Amino acid sequence: MAIYHLSVSNVSRASGSKATATLSYISGRRVHDERRGETYDYGRKERVLRVGTLLPEGAPAEYADPAVLFNAVELHETGRTARPAKKIVVALPREFTPRQRVQALEEYIRENLNADGYAATYAIHDDGRGNNPHAHILVANRQIDPATGGWARLKQRMEYVLDERGERVPLIDPETGRQKTDKRGRRQWKRTSVSLNPLDRKAKLKALRESWANTCNARLDETARIDHRSLEDQGSDLEPTIHEGYAARAIERAGGVSERCQTNREIRRSNSLLTAVRAELGRIFDRLGELFAAKIGRLRRRQARPEPAAPNWRYFEGDARRQLEADKADHTAAIRGKLMDARADVGNREEWWRSHGTEEHEAAKQIIDVARAASREARDANIFKRGRLLRNAEQVAGEQSERLRGAVPWLEDADIPADWDQANRFRMRTTKAIYDHDMQPRTRLVAELERRLEQAERAESERPSPEQVKALALRMAEQRAQAENPTQDTKRPAPSGDEPLDLSEPEDWGEASPFESRQAPRTKADLLNEIRQRTDRLTGQREAEQRQIDPWSAQPPQRRGHGR
């Protein structure tokens, strides 16, 4: 069965990789690096099935030799952190013949890379036994100018940093905590350098992924089509498998158990169970549809009978008015009780914070204190050691910032300053941010209950409308009449089938009080939707109750360096 895989990575000098060494690996050939004077021979020739180079319009003819091409781009890129090339790895469908593999790969490179001025070399691999067919595409990370045949100039520009709402992020003075201004009093905003290389843009990478799926699907049967979208984008709740790789499969072939392969087996097992549960739910809903159809038939036969005389609702008018007022009072009292519980929960959580804190808070303090210790050591050092210790403090601050992002992933500002005073202020800001984040669900619940209580009190102060009183009095009269004469509707003519269908249900006292307005469902689909909504609402309430933290039963976080 065809699978979809496409990954893009950078050949970066900052990470120690080189375009010539990568070329030697994917092509299985010896490649001499003219810039470093080294020769590489990394490839496993038995895995390489075909190697080819495709050039854009205007490229020099000698670039048809991949060694010349990637030596040229390595010599042109002079920066220590330069990225002379990109590597694209794609999975080739097993349904393709060797000729179809080459055709699909070269068509993809011409339409998506050569058309934009990029030169590329591809190599088709398998595992040596015809399994796991895939291709490596090594792309020179700089376009070729068709007019001159030389490397095009890569441009950059400064852009404003935007937050999640698309607004500019202000440049804050760490000493004053206010937005910085220039000499003319104009406010300053954060900016960043953005590369204009098309291969560095997210839109281009998405287009590359979609184009590979389209190129393969043009040559595959409808039953073997592949999809570039993630399971989440496809609207599927199945868990995606992880990439196993050659080493993991080698362990399995040798009789061992690879952790990655075992993880994929568990994921496939859970996905199969989820699919079976979904199929069983489908059968249940089909059965519900049949039951609703039978109920509709009974309702049609019942409504075809002549309606009895309207009951005298005036007799129940006073009871209905008192019932409506009592329901309003009960509704207000219930909300008031929930509000008191929510406020008590906020107070308990604040008391828990003062005595215990949270695991995230303790982890963040320990991480920040490591950086503070380095910055304090640099501050207190003499003039001869200060420069070295300042550089060490910056390095430690960077490392601890990465740890802080992993410990508190939702924290917006996780860059620990290397300065002692700024690190202290950062520690206080982080503590407040974690506290606000932890308390936000409880305070939001209190605010929502206060709003609902205000609405309920306002509704309680208003007199029930005559329409509400009459509707409830009618229901009371009908219930009394039905209780006194339960067989009064047994003698009715047979239905003709053309009568309007009324699916209104008796009042559901467990869901809402009588003074709330209602709209009865009119079709079977409406009834099914109502059942699903009520089920989801009850499930959400149970999950919310389970997520509530009881400060008297929760275990306090373990702190290192303390006694009992």
Side-chain angles (χ1 to χ4, degrees), residues 417-431:
D419 181 74
W420 165 254
D421 295 329
Q422 296 180 13
N424 288 334
R425 287 190 291 269
F426 177 82
R427 189 174 185 266
M428 291 188 291
R429 291 197 307 270
T430 302
T431 299

Side-chain angles (χ1 to χ4, degrees), residues 282-430:
R283 287 191 289 270
I284 291 174
F285 278 109
D286 290 341
R287 178 56 180 162
L288 282 175
E290 296 174 359
L291 294 176
F292 276 119
K295 181 178 181 180
I296 289 172
R298 290 194 298 270
L299 286 173
R300 286 191 181 278
R301 290 190 295 271
R302 185 186 307 166
Q303 293 169 12
R305 301 166 185 169
E307 293 292 332
N312 184 12
W313 61 273
R314 290 287 184 182
Y315 180 79
F316 298 92
E317 184 176 2
D319 292 340
R321 181 175 291 104
R322 287 188 290 272
Q323 181 66 48
L324 288 172
E325 293 174 351
D327 287 341
K328 291 182 179 181
D330 293 343
H331 186 64
T332 305
I335 296 178
R336 187 176 291 111
K338 292 180 181 179
L339 178 58
M340 293 176 61
D341 294 341
R343 287 173 176 169
D345 184 46
V346 170
N348 293 337
R349 191 58 179 177
E350 290 177 348
E351 182 66 25
W352 174 267
W353 255 92
R354 285 192 290 270
S355 58
H356 296 84
T358 63
E359 293 183 1
E360 285 187 342
H361 181 222
E362 292 299 322
K365 285 200 303 184
Q366 294 177 9
I367 292 171
I368 297 173
D369 286 345
V370 174
R372 290 174 65 243
S375 61
R376 182 176 64 247
E377 185 179 3
R379 185 198 62 178
D380 298 340
N382 58 40
I383 193 172
F384 302 103
K385 297 181 180 179
R386 185 169 299 165
R388 176 176 59 83
L389 292 178
L390 282 174
R391 290 190 295 273
N392 178 66
E394 293 176 355
Q395 181 179 357
V396 172
E399 294 172 353
Q400 296 304 110
S401 297
E402 292 299 325
R403 290 188 59 197
L404 182 60
R405 292 187 185 94
V408 192
W410 52 263
L411 190 63
E412 294 182 359
D413 182 12
D415 296 328
I416 305 175
D419 181 74
W420 165 254
D421 295 329
Q422 296 180 13
N424 288 334
R425 287 190 291 269
F426 177 82
R427 189 174 185 266
M428 291 188 291
R429 291 197 307 270
T430 302

Side-chain angles (χ1 to χ4, degrees), residues 9-224:
S9 58
N10 285 304
V11 177
S12 174
R13 287 180 187 166
S15 61
S17 56
K18 297 169 281 294
T20 49
T22 305
L23 176 64
S24 172
Y25 170 77
I26 69 170
S27 64
R29 302 173 182 174
R30 293 171 59 89
V31 178
H32 180 72
D33 191 325
E34 299 177 2
R35 187 178 69 89
R36 299 176 61 89
E38 299 176 353
T39 301
Y40 307 108
D41 191 7
Y42 295 143
R44 298 172 60 184
K45 299 176 179 59
E46 69 276 5
R47 298 178 58 192
V48 181
L49 304 180
R50 181 184 177 92
V51 178
T53 301
L54 300 178
L55 303 177
E57 181 183 358
E62 58 268 21
Y63 285 178
D65 185 348
V68 176
L69 170 63
F70 289 99
N71 267 303
V73 74
E74 282 280 0
L75 291 171
H76 186 78
E77 303 291 349
T78 58
R80 291 182 301 173
T81 59
R83 296 180 295 179
K86 288 187 183 294
K87 184 171 69 173
I88 304 174
V89 181
V90 296
L92 295 170
R94 294 185 178 181
E95 292 81 357
F96 280 179
T97 64
R99 180 179 179 82
Q100 287 177 324
R101 294 173 183 174
V102 175
Q103 289 176 345
L105 201 57
E106 292 189 349
E107 177 185 331
Y108 176 74
I109 294 173
R110 289 192 184 96
E111 292 182 356
N112 295 276
L113 299 173
N114 293 160
D116 292 337
Y118 294 101
T121 294
Y122 69 86
I124 300 177
H125 290 189
D126 63 10
D127 63 350
R129 291 184 294 272
N131 300 319
N132 188 26
H134 61 280
H136 298 261
I137 306 173
L138 189 61
V139 187
N141 200 20
R142 187 178 286 267
Q143 295 163 300
I144 295 178
D145 189 347
T148 63
W151 298 108
R153 181 179 179 182
L154 291 180
K155 297 181 180 180
Q156 293 183 339
R157 69 181 179 192
M158 300 298 293
E159 290 185 355
Y160 288 110
V161 177
L162 303 179
D163 58 15
E164 63 276 4
R165 294 175 297 180
E167 299 179 355
R168 293 182 295 180
V169 178
L171 190 61
I172 303 299
D173 188 342
E175 296 182 356
T176 63
R178 299 180 178 179
Q179 186 174 2
K180 288 184 176 181
T181 57
D182 59 10
K183 295 180 179 179
R184 298 182 180 180
R186 295 175 298 187
R187 292 180 295 178
Q188 301 295 301
W189 308 89
K190 285 187 179 181
R191 299 203 300 171
T192 184
S193 178
V194 178
S195 172
L196 298 183
N197 183 9
L199 283 182
D200 290 332
R201 298 177 183 172
K202 184 179 294 186
K204 179 64 175 177
L205 297 180
K206 289 183 177 180
L208 288 175
R209 292 180 56 83
E210 183 177 0
S211 178
W212 177 245
N214 295 336
T215 302
C216 294
N217 288 335
R219 295 169 172 81
L220 290 171
D221 295 334
E222 293 184 359
T223 57

